[in-house]
Amino acid sequence: MSIFVDSKTRLLVQGITGRDGSFHTTEMIRYGTNVVGGVTPGKGGMSFKGPDDQKIPIYNTVEEAVADTGANTSVIYVPPAFAAGAMEEAVDSGVALVVAITEGVPVQAMTKIHAFAQDRGVRILGPNCPGVISPGKAKVGIIPEQIVMPGPIGVISRSGTLTYEAVINLTKEGIGQTTCVGIGGDPLIGTSFIDCLTQFKGDEETEAIVMIGEIGGTDEQDAAEWISDNLDIPVVGFIAGQTAPPGRQMGHAGAIISGSSGTAEEKMRCFEKNGVRVAARPIDIVELVREALD
Amino acid sequence: MSIFVDSKTRLLVQGITGRDGSFHTTEMIRYGTNVVGGVTPGKGGMSFKGPDDQKIPIYNTVEEAVADTGANTSVIYVPPAFAAGAMEEAVDSGVALVVAITEGVPVQAMTKIHAFAQDRGVRILGPNCPGVISPGKAKVGIIPEQIVMPGPIGVISRSGTLTYEAVINLTKEGIGQTTCVGIGGDPLIGTSFIDCLTQFKGDEETEAIVMIGEIGGTDEQDAAEWISDNLDIPVVGFIAGQTAPPGRQMGHAGAIISGSSGTAEEKMRCFEKNGVRVAARPIDIVELVREALD
Amino acid sequence: MDIHEYQAKEILRDNGIPVPPGRVTKDPNDAVNIAKDYGDTVVVKAQVHSGGRGKAGGVKLAGTSDEVFAAADQILGLTISGHTVKEVLITPAEDIDSEAYLGILIDRESQSPVVMVCSEGGVDIEEVAEKSPESIKKLIVDPRQGLLHHQAYGLAGALYNDPSLVKQATVIIKQLYQAFVTSGASMIEINPLISTPTGEVKAIDAKMSVDNSELFKYPSIEAYRDVASEPWAETMAREAGLSYVKLDGNVGCCVNGAGLAMATMDLVKYYGGEPANFLDIGGSSNPQKVVTALQIITSDPNVEVILFNIFGGITRCDDVAKGIIEALGQLEIEAPIIIRLTGTNEEEGLKILSAEGMSAFTSMDEVVEKAVSETSN
Amino acid sequence: MDIHEYQAKEILRDNGIPVPPGRVTKDPNDAVNIAKDYGDTVVVKAQVHSGGRGKAGGVKLAGTSDEVFAAADQILGLTISGHTVKEVLITPAEDIDSEAYLGILIDRESQSPVVMVCSEGGVDIEEVAEKSPESIKKLIVDPRQGLLHHQAYGLAGALYNDPSLVKQATVIIKQLYQAFVTSGASMIEINPLISTPTGEVKAIDAKMSVDNSELFKYPSIEAYRDVASEPWAETMAREAGLSYVKLDGNVGCCVNGAGLAMATMDLVKYYGGEPANFLDIGGSSNPQKVVTALQIITSDPNVEVILFNIFGGITRCDDVAKGIIEALGQLEIEAPIIIRLTGTNEEEGLKILSAEGMSAFTSMDEVVEKAVSETSN
């Protein structure tokens, strides 16, 4: 099994004609994802040429696209200035999952979008995330397919390339994944570690979980307590930013230590206290996972 | 029995120190209503002198008042410019029923307040309404006690003095009431005819219902259809404004015929079609009720 | 409160909506001068609070100075649905490719603002709503969230196919919602919203009502009130806090409460009379209000009898009685005054009346029947 | 982006919040002139993006012209937490009855704006939050509904008992929320909010951060950016769309992705080295970005070795390789460059490098260990 995306995913690509959107649409289709349509305002009625000359219909609005294609998931590649509007449109359209790749969505806009999504019962993944891939089933976002393989590990991460680093190490050692989820590096994200853990808990094929956190906020601490109270399968954790200075934003808008809270040290201590095995280096994740699976 | 207010009502008066608020607080206490507190910003800590020298505590905020008194109902007598804020405060405070007497609350503010009240599961009665009285039990608002007596009739009305006219005629003939509700003359009101009918349906002591409507909107038509589908007890209806010209607001902000919709004729026809007995004059209500009860 | 087309257009302009230029005048010579600034053909439009201006001859195309003068001269002074035209708007004639309707109002059912668009514009939208309701696209707006971009875009897409027109209309719809919210409007509409052969979307005619309860927040809109063309009695009633609507009958009515006032009018009719007016003296009575009410009622030359129907609640019967006595001292009232007085402080009220040799009924039917019997028909 | 106190105060003033007057200057003589306008005692305050100004000697009271000159002269040029003071704010000293804290920020947990008040103002609010969290009153605001009047009133009531002060503070809280929303702030605070012996409530100090993602909407706030006191490398990184934070070590790091960049720094430390910087070249790479990154890294004289850790996803390895070769042609780089290159277009990237006689690792641990071994410590 897998979480969030699989062979039943009917995907819409918002911003399908843009530079990133068109590149990744082709990648996703190649991986076997069922891309049912695209949305670019003003280009409704045209079509996107996928690999092997498939024609993916383009719509002006998500509403039309959902009505016509029965899409249940939307992925957003539109530029930051339009991303908030695209997310509102997706939330309003009837899809169940919105994956927002775009970085740089204003945080005040996100407060409203998260409230809207909660009202509508829509899950948002991201923004500023690499998306999600269920190896062998479907990929929504930008995670490179070469680094994954099917298997028993659930992976959750706040970062992009660091996830790749962790996942490829697993794959090289023959340890595959049920689903790899990038939850995003912004301070306000739609899907938290706990949300993902809850899903993995319900996924029979997931036998162990890798959680890759970073400095800033308390999402990892909350997750650790939740794990201690709710989860039976083993979890391996890693925190990036042990050498980050306080008060400076480390790339991601969400990766910032305020005062003494949100440090890597605090998070790692909290992991250990709650039974999460802590990897000192990304490479150590493999060994801890192997131990956990035994 | 009765609807909305009874001996379990614990009432808060917002604007208790104002001209109208203080007068009607005294009236309500005299009638036996359990007034547990008042709210006037800046006068917290003082007290309101009721009849027989009772001291009703005054609070700065509804939140404090509810925490301290366990109030479950609030009535609003504050001036129009502050009424919207007072309603928001009441909705936010944990009371279950908010009765808004004030006329002249902006309709755009009301759109937001109704949405807020719905989110919180709070009932708003009004605005621009005379309130509600359950004869012999409690009175919240400004309906004169002299015109009512306990009995088997439920009364629902969009207007104030016209309600008094109808009710006093019943009372003079010895026909008492379970509850008389003034739902208000504004275009956007919190409690509709159907809401009241639903409550009366659940009230075993109510044997017949009097509905007093007026021109404007479709609340009466919707109610008539609801009655036909849902209600077993007889209903007598009256519509004011048979001689009103289209396009002119007749006092109440909600009493306006737009195009051919919302006329008295249309409403009376709809009443008849759905089994509601229609009174030609207010005085005829008595006879129709008597027939209905037999 | 309704405002004039040219005033509504000022508000649209302030919110960034493209509106062709235009100036108002009361003088046909001035109209000619304005038209010269616009070159070519202009439209001369009556500024009255009434629909159906076109059919009533209140809108004319004019190509030459003579035609402009003639049009303005004919329209000024015209009476449309009882309103006299005191001003005309001169605006350049536009080339039109398509006409659409765009409006926002408060919907009673959803208790929310509703945006409506229809690609058949320039006609009476209520007629369209009756004949082909499916051609109107409606969107209920969450008032706390406001109109979202994709919602405006979706509505614009129901009006146009051309992406450039859709884009322009999207912006206009958002601007109109902005205007709606920031003006305390209860209704605002653009009809028609046109597209031109050169691919522009513009507002050619506009209508707007502002919520009376919000007017106090917007003095610049309150200043739009056309007191000059408002009947004297309505101005007076408004300023005194009374609700007054003139009707065509001869029984002057003075009532407390809007519902009771309407029911009183209906009962006058029931007993064979014709009400001369709707008049609600409102909740919190004071004697002076009653004096003003009588001034207003008696200013109507048709009034043959004055009927008071007072059910005291917040209104106190003694206040009303005092007001009647005061008015009789101040005004010359020839019409008989027939009074019904019951409720709060009824006895005190009756005492005041009887001290002046007057009496009152307590039943509504009796008083109305009596009043009608005093009229000539 | 953080803005200076005097800039935050301008935004507060624009939103109607009472803020005492004040002017900034870089010149002690000018400070004396400004102080004269304010009469009596003034406060001279360092304008730097750093807390703890008071303890660092960056805030001084001055009663005479000599004192003003001396204070400005001492503060200008002062270094506070690594920031050099280039401007001082002169503002009249206020009589203070009470000091409170008022702030608004985005709360991660509730995903909403949160308004915080505390009657103990003028001190570090984070300390208060740790020592006596119960003294801080927090209100989560529904972002679509905004801050409601009674909520502001309730917060004001937690600060003051006197009804007049409560009323003033209510208005200020609403205005601050307005400022927060209309400036794209991620944090805004008044600390202290004072009450005076004459019963006025005023903002004496203010702090504000604007969401970088919103800056494009507010050019007047973007113009507040203090490029003069920003290190050259940070300005350059920002303008090139790179994320760069200078640290104290000697291993220059160039990585794609913020998480991987932090993990790389951590691994440098793990292998006994010290990272010289955080640098994320971002998602969509192009060779020029790599050149700029190398310019920035090599501008740090501490850097002894340059470590590339690239995991190609959106970033293409060949782009990075091209950038490195280009930079070597343009810049004089003495430090050895140790490269790890894997992922998208890895082979093409390696080919480009080997054509120039360079090689690359594929494992992160190997490359970091190698880089650390190249340093002197």
Side-chain angles (χ1 to χ4, degrees), chain A residues 127-284:
Chain A
N128 187 20
C129 81
V132 51
I133 186 164
S134 294
K137 293 174 182 161
K139 142 177 168 163
V140 173
I142 62 173
I143 298 178
E145 59 172 289
Q146 301 83 346
I147 63 167
V148 300
M149 65 179 273
I153 309 299
V155 178
I156 321 166
S157 172
R158 271 171 73 182
S159 86
T161 45
L162 179 55
T163 318
Y164 311 165
E165 183 72 41
V167 172
I168 202 167
N169 289 334
L170 290 171
T171 297
K172 276 182 182 164
E173 297 294 316
I175 306 172
Q177 306 87 37
T178 48
T179 301
C180 303
V181 192
I183 60 175
D186 274 6
L188 301 192
I189 49 176
T191 297
S192 66
F193 280 114
I194 293 180
D195 294 329
C196 297
L197 290 166
T198 307
Q199 295 291 318
F200 278 129
K201 188 187 175 183
D203 177 36
E204 284 172 19
E205 287 179 15
T206 300
E207 293 171 26
I209 296 169
V210 172
M211 258 178 75
I212 300 168
E214 56 190 39
I215 54 163
T218 58
D219 217 16
E220 290 84 353
Q221 297 90 309
D222 299 342
E225 281 171 23
W226 187 92
I227 288 167
S228 162
D229 292 344
N230 296 282
L231 206 65
D232 292 329
I233 56 174
V235 180
V236 173
F238 176 80
I239 302 289
Q242 298 164 41
T243 49
R248 297 300 306 266
Q249 180 182 313
M250 304 305 277
H252 287 167
I256 181 165
I257 299 168
S258 337
S260 66
S261 105
T263 62
E265 201 192 338
E266 177 196 346
K267 295 188 183 213
M268 289 163 77
R269 210 184 308 121
C270 192
F271 272 0
E272 273 165 8
K273 211 180 78 189
N274 288 286
V276 174
R277 295 149 211 240
V278 180
R281 299 175 299 171
I283 191 72
D284 297 333

Side-chain angles (χ1 to χ4, degrees), chain B residues 19-20 24 81 104-112 114-116 118-119 142 144 147 158-159 161-162 164-165 168 172 186-190 214-218 238-245 248-256 258-260 280-284, chain C residues 106-109 111-113 126 130 142-144 180-186 211-214 216-217 234 243-247 255-263 265-267 269-271 275 278 280 284-285 309 311-314 316 340 342 344 362-365:
Chain B
R19 191 178 165 281
D20 290 346
H24 288 288
V105 184
V107 70
Q108 288 199 23
M110 284 313 306
T111 63
K112 295 182 188 176
H114 286 312
F116 190 28
Q118 215 162 348
D119 279 0
I142 63 173
I147 63 168
R158 270 171 74 182
S159 87
T161 46
L162 178 56
Y164 310 164
E165 184 73 40
I168 203 166
K172 274 181 182 164
D186 274 7
L188 302 193
I189 49 175
E214 56 190 39
I215 54 163
T218 58
F238 176 81
I239 302 289
Q242 297 164 42
T243 49
R248 298 300 305 262
Q249 180 182 316
M250 305 304 275
H252 287 167
I256 181 163
S258 336
S260 66
R281 300 174 298 170
I283 192 72
D284 297 332
Chain C
I106 300 284
D107 178 48
R108 287 182 180 218
E109 201 184 330
Q111 304 194 316
S112 301
E126 291 189 349
E130 244 167 67
D142 177 333
R144 294 178 294 170
F180 181 81
V181 169
T182 56
S183 310
S186 53
D211 182 358
N212 290 328
S213 301
E214 295 231 46
F216 76 98
K217 289 189 213 163
E234 286 184 20
S243 286
Y244 173 80
V245 176
K246 194 187 164 330
L247 301 170
V255 189
N256 66 319
L260 190 61
M262 283 188 275
M265 287 158 43
D266 295 348
L267 208 59
K269 185 99 178 175
Y270 180 91
Y271 283 110
F278 167 93
D280 171 12
S284 202
S285 66
N309 183 11
F311 201 125
I314 294 191
R316 285 157 44 184
R340 184 263 188 131
T342 194
T344 311
T362 54
S363 138
M364 177 165 165
D365 281 76

